[in-house]
Amino acid sequence: MPKTRRVEPSIARTASRTLAVSRCAFSLVSILSTVSFAAPVSADQVRLKDGTILEGVVAPLQGLNSQAIRQYQGPTTIYPMLLVEDGVVRYIVPRQQVAEVHREEAISRYQTFEPKHKPQGRTETISAVGRISGWTIFDEYGRRTVTLQTARGTADVVQAITELGPRTVKVSGLNYIWDHGLRTSSIDGPVVDAILRQLTDAAEPGDRLAIATFHLQSGRYIEADRELESIRQEFPQMADRAEELRVKLRELWARKLLDELAERRAAGQHRLAYQAARDFPTDKMSAAVIRQVEEMIAEYHDAAERAIRALVLLGELQAQLDDPELTAQLAPMRSVVRERLGHESLGRLEPFLRLSDDATLSAREKLALAYSGWILGGAHAITDLDATIRLWNARFLVLEYLRSEDPSRRSDLLRQLGDLDGADVTRISQMIPLLPPWIESPGIQAGVPQQVVVPGEGGEGGLPAVEYTVILPREYDPQHAYPLIVALRPREYSTRVEAEWWGFLRKHVDDPGSPGQSQRRGYIVIAPEWTKPDASGHDYGAHSHYAVLRSLRDARKRFHVDSDRVFLSGHGIGGDAAFDIGMSHPDVFAGVIPIAGICDGYCKWYWQNSKELAWYVVNGQLDRDTVSRNARELDRMLRHGHDVIYAEYEGRGYESFYEEIHLLFDWMDRHRRRRGVKEFEVHTMRPFDNRFHWYRSDGFPDAMMQANAQVLAGVKGASAKLLKISARITPGNQVLITSGGKRHDVWLNPDLIDFDKRVQVRVRGRQVFNDFLRPGVETLLEDLRIRGDRQQLFTVHLTFE
C-alpha cells in the first residue's frame, strides 16, 4: 500500500500537449478520508420511489450519450432520465424511479469562502486520472500537491481550493489544468478550520459568525457550538445572534444524535445505544428531545428488568414441578435461555411474560409458552409442554443434520425427526429463522478482520477450497439477523484492504483505524478471494462466480445473515466482476454496487437481467475510458426504468470514492431482495448461470455455449447465442417453463403454490407433472444445508429430464 507523504509544492513540467495518466490502484485519498454527518441543506431535491433523496441542480436528460440537457419543464417522455448535479457528482436516475421533484432556489444561503490563488502556468490538461501515488494534506492556504503516475514518470499537480462550501469544495490545478470537486466532509475538520481562520479576521465578529455558520451548515456541531460560545463571550453585541444560531444548532445536533441512537438500535448495538443515551448532552437540548432520550433509557431499563423477571419465573415454575425426570429435561433449556437472553431475544418470551400471572394456566403450560416461544418465536408459542420438549429435540436433530457431512448420518437424523410427533415442515420452518449458526467460529471477534477458509468438496478433482476476509459489526450477536456486503477487491489490494474500506475509518496509512460504517451500521462484510493475485482483469469464467457464491453460502451458515439484505460490491476489476456476477445471479442479491468498474463481457447481453436488482454505480469522469465503455449498457438500463443510480464524479479518476459511503449505506438500508417471485424472464450464455429464484436448468446445447465462449474471446465471425429462460406460476397452480436445457429442477413453497390443490407442471408446453404435492422435511433441510438461506425456504423439489 502506498504511504502518505508530504511534498513541497513544486512546478511540474509544462508542455502544450495533454497529459494522460495510466490506470492503477484506486486512490488512497478516498480510503483515508474522514466523513462527518452533514446538516440538511437547501437545494433542488429528487425523491426516488425507494425513498432516496438526491440534492443538486436538476435537469432532464435524453441519455448518457446525449448532450441534450435542457431546462426542466415537467414530465415528458422525451427525456427518460433525470440528472442531479451537486458540484461534485452527477447523479443520473431513470424518470420511472422518480417519485417527486422539488424545486428550490436557495443554494445561495450557504456560507461559502473563495480563496484566491495565482496559477503557475496552466498549459497542460489532465485528461485521464489513474494512480495517485502520493499527496499532501491541504495547508492553511488551501493548497496541496497530488503526485500522479504517468507514462513519463511522476507528475506533481499543485491543487488549490477555489471555493469552500459546507457540503462541497472546488479545487483547481495551479500548474496543470485539472478542476474538480470534493466533499467537504472528506477534509479533516482541523484542516478546514485552519483554512477558515486564514481567510477571516479573528477580530471581526461578522467573520467569526461566518465561521460558526459554516460549521453549522457542514454538520460539525461541536465546532459550531464552540465558536458561538466564543463569539458570545468576545462580542457581547452579537450575543443574541449567537444564541439564535445555537438554538438552531441544538435542533440539528439533537436530530443527528437521535438518528445515531436509532441506527445503533437497528444494528443490534444495544449496549452502545444505551450508553450513548446515558451520555446524551441533555443540557444543550430541548425538553422534547430530553423526553425521547429518557423514554429510550427507561425502555432499556424495563427490558433488563423483564429479562431478570423471566429467568426468576422460569426457576420458580420449574421448582413447582413434582417430576424429577421432567425437571432434568427442562434444565438444559433453561441454561440456553439464561445464557442467550438479551434485548434481541426478549420478544420470544413475550407471551410467557404477558400470561405469567394468569391463574388459569398451570406451571407446565407457562413453561411451555416460554420454551416453545424461545425456539419458534413468540407468535408461535404453545402451551403443551410435552410437545415443546419434542420440538427442542427436533431442533437438536435439525442442527445436527445441518452440520453433518455424512449422507448416511443425515438419513438417520431424518428418520429420527420423522419419529417425533409434531416435528413437521411447518414447525421446523418456524424454527429456522431463530436457529443459531450451525458452523461454529469461536475465534472470530467483532470488529477484527479475520480470514476464513472454506474447505473444498469432493476430494481431488472436486470443488476447490475458497477463502474470504470477514469483519463482523460491533456487538455482533448471533441472535440478530445482519445484512451483509460481499466486497470484491481490485487487483492491486488484498481482500483485507477491501473489507476494511467498508469496516474501518483511517485518517492516514499508519492510523490503526476506528470502527467504520459497516461496523457502525451493523453490516457483516466478507471479501472473497475471488481471483488470482496476479490476475490482470476479470476473465468472466466460472471460478469467480464459484468463489463468491461459495463464500456467501459459508457466511450464511457461519453467521446470522439476513439473506434478503445481501449486497454485492467491488472496486476496479472487482467492480467488473460485480457487474457480471450480479447480472448472472440477480435473485441472490438485494443490490449491486460497482465502483470504478466496467460493464463488459457477457454484461453486454445480461443487462436485461438487471431489472430484478437495485444498482448503485459509481465512476470517475476521467477514469480511463470507463464512462464511454459503460455508457451503452447503463443507458439501456436507465431507459428501461431499472432501479439504477449512476453517480459520476466530475473531474475525478480511478478512485475508491469513500465520499459516497454514507449515501451507499442509506441506499442499502432501503433495499431488500425480491421474494415470492412467481414470474421471471432471464437470459443466459454460460452453463453455470442456470439457477434463478425457484428454477434451475441444466444441459444447455454445447454448440451454443462454445459459440458464446468464442464471442468473449473475440474470435472473428463468432456471434452470441442467447438462451432465454422464462418461468411462471399461475393463479391456477400451473408451473409453466420455457428453457433450452435438458434437465429442469423446480423448488416450491407455500408462498408460490397452494399445496391443497393439484399442481400441474409444463415444460415447453408439454405436461410433465399433474398431481398433488406434499411438502417434505428432507427437501427443506437439504436446501438449507446447501444454500444457508433462512429467508427463502423450499419444501418441495421436482426434477424433470
Side-chain angles (χ1 to χ4, degrees):
M1 178 183 293
K3 292 186 176 294
T4 306
R5 65 185 186 92
R6 280 182 174 274
V7 298
E8 291 299 322
S10 61
I11 300 176
R13 294 186 301 274
T14 56
S16 59
R17 59 187 176 276
T18 296
L19 175 65
V21 183
S22 62
R23 169 186 182 179
C24 199
F26 61 87
S27 169
L28 285 177
V29 172
S30 293
I31 288 182
L32 305 180
S33 294
T34 57
V35 177
S36 66
F37 286 85
V41 296
S42 300
D44 296 349
Q45 286 189 346
V46 173
R47 181 172 61 85
L48 303 183
K49 291 178 179 178
D50 65 14
T52 299
I53 301 292
L54 301 175
E55 298 177 322
V57 178
V58 178
L61 187 65
Q62 286 184 325
L64 294 187
N65 292 316
S66 170
Q67 300 300 317
I69 303 174
R70 303 179 181 177
Q71 184 176 0
Y72 180 76
Q73 297 178 341
T76 171
T77 57
I78 298 175
Y79 301 104
M81 308 171 199
L82 281 186
L83 180 145
V84 185
E85 191 166 7
D86 70 359
V88 176
V89 187
R90 297 181 181 127
Y91 293 102
I92 300 174
V93 296
R95 188 180 290 275
Q96 293 181 44
Q97 296 295 331
V98 174
E100 180 184 20
V101 177
H102 178 64
R103 307 286 296 188
E104 189 170 331
E105 303 295 335
I107 295 178
S108 60
R109 296 177 190 171
Y110 293 125
Q111 182 66 60
T112 58
F113 296 84
E114 297 183 356
K116 302 300 181 182
H117 302 274
K118 184 178 180 180
Q120 302 172 357
R122 291 179 8 138
T123 59
E124 203 170 339
T125 299
I126 302 294
S127 64
V129 181
R131 180 183 178 187
I132 299 177
S133 60
W135 64 94
T136 66
I137 63 173
F138 285 103
D139 62 19
E140 66 270 26
Y141 301 102
R143 293 194 297 263
R144 72 174 181 181
T145 300
V146 179
T147 302
L148 305 177
Q149 292 294 327
T150 75
R152 302 193 308 274
T154 61
D156 289 337
V157 181
V158 181
Q159 289 187 320
I161 293 175
T162 57
E163 182 176 297
L164 177 60
R167 291 289 298 273
T168 62
V169 174
K170 293 182 180 179
V171 298
S172 294
L174 299 183
N175 57 337
Y176 289 86
I177 299 174
W178 183 26
D179 303 335
H180 61 81
L182 298 169
R183 300 284 187 208
T184 307
S185 58
S186 69
I187 305 175
D188 206 14
V191 174
V192 173
D193 193 70
I195 296 171
L196 293 176
R197 303 296 170 185
Q198 183 64 34
L199 294 171
T200 56
D201 185 347
E204 287 292 330
D207 284 7
R208 297 284 294 281
L209 198 61
I211 292 175
T213 302
F214 181 96
H215 286 318
L216 175 62
Q217 291 178 340
S218 63
R220 293 182 165 105
Y221 301 126
I222 295 176
E223 293 88 340
D225 189 57
R226 185 184 302 123
E227 191 66 24
L228 289 171
E229 176 59 23
S230 178
I231 291 170
R232 190 184 65 81
Q233 293 183 9
E234 296 179 31
F235 307 101
Q237 71 276 22
M238 301 292 292
D240 291 344
R241 177 57 178 154
E243 187 56 34
E244 179 184 338
L245 283 175
R246 291 184 86 180
V247 171
K248 180 64 174 177
L249 180 150
R250 288 166 186 155
E251 176 186 336
L252 295 172
W253 197 355
R255 187 187 308 169
K256 170 190 169 181
L257 293 175
L258 289 172
D259 287 346
E260 287 186 341
L261 287 176
E263 283 181 1
R264 293 290 185 271
R265 299 184 76 185
Q269 297 171 4
H270 299 291
R271 289 192 298 273
L272 281 169
Y274 173 72
Q275 191 58 50
R278 291 285 303 272
D279 296 339
F280 205 90
T282 53
D283 59 315
K284 302 178 184 296
M285 304 302 172
S286 67
V289 170
I290 293 171
R291 183 170 60 253
Q292 290 184 61
V293 175
E294 289 177 343
E295 288 174 355
M296 183 180 297
I297 293 172
E299 182 182 331
Y300 274 116
H301 286 167
D302 179 66
E305 291 173 358
R306 287 165 61 80
I308 292 172
R309 178 168 172 261
L311 294 176
V312 170
L313 283 171
L314 288 176
E316 292 176 349
L317 291 170
Q318 287 182 207
Q320 296 177 24
L321 301 177
D322 55 3
D323 185 341
E325 183 178 347
L326 178 59
T327 302
Q329 288 178 302
L330 297 179
M333 301 182 195
R334 185 184 173 202
S335 296
V336 169
V337 174
R338 183 172 59 247
E339 178 185 349
R340 300 177 182 175
L341 181 60
H343 198 88
E344 286 290 320
S345 55
L346 185 59
R348 306 186 199 181
L349 302 183
E350 177 57 33
F352 165 66
L353 288 168
R354 186 175 65 250
L355 299 173
S356 59
D357 295 328
D358 189 336
T360 65
L361 295 176
S362 67
R364 289 175 59 95
E365 290 172 320
K366 292 176 182 178
L367 289 168
L369 281 173
Y371 292 128
S372 64
W374 183 262
I375 61 172
L376 301 177
H380 305 297
I382 61 176
T383 57
D384 185 334
L385 187 56
D386 292 331
T388 296
I389 293 172
R390 290 194 296 271
L391 288 174
W392 272 78
N393 291 335
R395 178 178 181 267
F396 171 80
L397 295 173
V398 165
L399 287 170
E400 287 295 297
Y401 182 96
L402 297 174
R403 291 168 179 151
S404 177
E405 298 294 332
D406 182 355
S408 62
R409 169 66 174 156
R410 294 199 298 270
S411 295
D412 182 58
L413 291 166
L414 284 173
R415 181 188 57 76
Q416 294 180 55
L417 276 169
D419 292 340
L420 282 175
D421 185 28
D424 55 18
V425 167
T426 300
R427 287 301 189 199
I428 293 176
S429 297
Q430 292 166 354
M431 288 181 194
I432 287 172
L434 301 180
L435 288 176
W438 48 96
I439 298 180
E440 297 181 358
S441 305
I444 297 182
Q445 304 173 25
V448 179
Q450 289 170 279
Q451 200 74 6
V452 174
V453 178
V454 186
E457 291 183 356
E460 187 175 352
L463 298 176
V466 298
E467 297 183 15
Y468 63 87
T469 298
V470 61
I471 301 177
L472 299 179
R474 303 169 79 175
E475 291 188 38
Y476 171 76
D477 181 352
Q479 295 176 101
H480 179 87
Y482 292 89
L484 180 141
I485 299 168
V486 182
L488 308 183
R489 66 172 182 83
R491 65 182 177 185
E492 57 272 6
Y493 286 145
S494 66
T495 59
R496 175 165 181 154
V497 171
E498 180 66 21
E500 289 178 344
W501 189 87
W502 295 94
F504 282 88
L505 183 63
R506 291 187 170 92
K507 296 181 179 179
H508 52 78
V509 293
D510 298 321
D511 182 4
S514 57
Q517 291 309 307
S518 70
Q519 293 190 62
R520 293 169 58 88
R521 303 285 283 262
Y523 281 68
I524 298 172
V525 179
I526 65 169
E529 189 53 85
W530 66 276
T531 188
K532 296 178 181 179
D534 58 348
S536 60
H538 175 42
D539 65 4
Y540 296 88
H543 173 76
S544 58
H545 291 242
Y546 164 75
V548 169
L549 296 179
R550 184 154 168 76
S551 296
L552 172 58
R553 289 181 174 185
D554 180 83
R556 285 169 169 171
K557 303 168 191 178
R558 194 179 298 271
F559 313 109
H560 197 158
V561 174
D562 181 349
S563 296
D564 286 339
R565 299 183 61 199
V566 175
F567 298 88
L568 178 65
S569 70
H571 284 95
I573 64 169
D576 303 355
F579 271 119
D580 177 32
I581 296 170
M583 291 181 180
S584 303
H585 311 282
D587 57 306
V588 175
F589 306 102
V592 185
I593 307 170
I595 302 174
I598 296 175
C599 187
D600 204 353
Y602 292 110
C603 300
K604 295 175 183 177
W605 298 274
Y606 279 16
W607 69 270
Q608 299 170 85
N609 299 345
S610 69
K611 64 180 177 294
E612 300 195 29
L613 275 169
W615 293 82
Y616 200 126
V617 182
V618 185
N619 281 122
Q621 181 189 24
L622 301 184
D623 176 15
R624 306 156 287 161
D625 57 352
T626 301
V627 172
S628 60
R629 291 180 67 181
N630 287 344
R632 188 180 71 167
E633 275 61 66
L634 288 177
D635 189 81
R636 287 171 168 177
M637 293 162 66
L638 289 160
R639 285 179 179 275
H640 283 78
H642 297 185
D643 188 355
V644 179
I645 296 176
Y646 174 52
E648 183 178 289
Y649 274 72
E650 302 178 59
R652 303 279 285 276
Y654 183 57
E655 302 183 32
S656 75
F657 301 109
Y658 193 84
E659 294 150 277
E660 200 71 12
I661 199 162
H662 282 294
L663 288 174
L664 291 176
F665 274 97
D666 290 344
W667 177 83
M668 287 189 286
D669 283 347
R670 295 185 175 97
H671 285 86
R672 303 291 186 275
R673 175 182 60 172
R674 293 176 64 203
R675 286 175 59 186
V677 175
K678 293 189 175 184
E679 182 175 3
F680 61 88
E681 180 178 290
V682 294
H683 294 82
T684 184
M685 298 173 67
R686 293 175 295 199
F688 51 85
D689 301 334
N690 63 340
R691 175 163 180 168
F692 305 93
H693 299 289
W694 40 266
Y695 172 70
R696 186 179 72 198
S697 183
D698 289 290
F700 298 148
D702 292 338
M704 178 181 293
M705 300 297 104
Q706 292 169 4
N708 292 333
Q710 291 176 348
V711 169
L712 185 67
V715 175
K716 187 176 180 179
S719 59
K721 308 292 184 181
L722 259 69
L723 189 150
K724 183 171 74 173
I725 296 176
S726 62
R728 181 164 64 98
I729 298 175
T730 72
N733 251 24
Q734 281 191 322
V735 181
L736 308 177
I737 295 167
T738 302
S739 169
K742 296 178 181 178
R743 174 183 164 120
H744 311 274
D745 287 271
V746 176
W747 288 266
L748 300 171
N749 61 33
D751 294 332
L752 300 170
I753 284 289
D754 184 349
F755 289 124
D756 292 331
K757 298 179 181 179
R758 184 181 295 273
V759 177
Q760 185 182 89
V761 180
R762 290 182 173 272
V763 178
R764 293 193 295 270
R766 180 173 64 90
Q767 180 174 294
V768 294
F769 184 86
N770 186 10
D771 205 345
F772 289 89
L773 291 173
R774 182 178 179 182
V777 171
E778 181 177 6
T779 298
L780 172 66
L781 294 184
E782 188 62 12
D783 183 67
L784 180 63
R785 186 186 71 84
I786 294 171
R787 296 189 305 118
D789 189 340
R790 299 169 184 251
Q791 279 65 46
Q792 189 177 62
L793 304 175
F794 294 110
T795 55
V796 166
H797 179 200
L798 301 174
T799 299
F800 309 101
E801 295 188 9

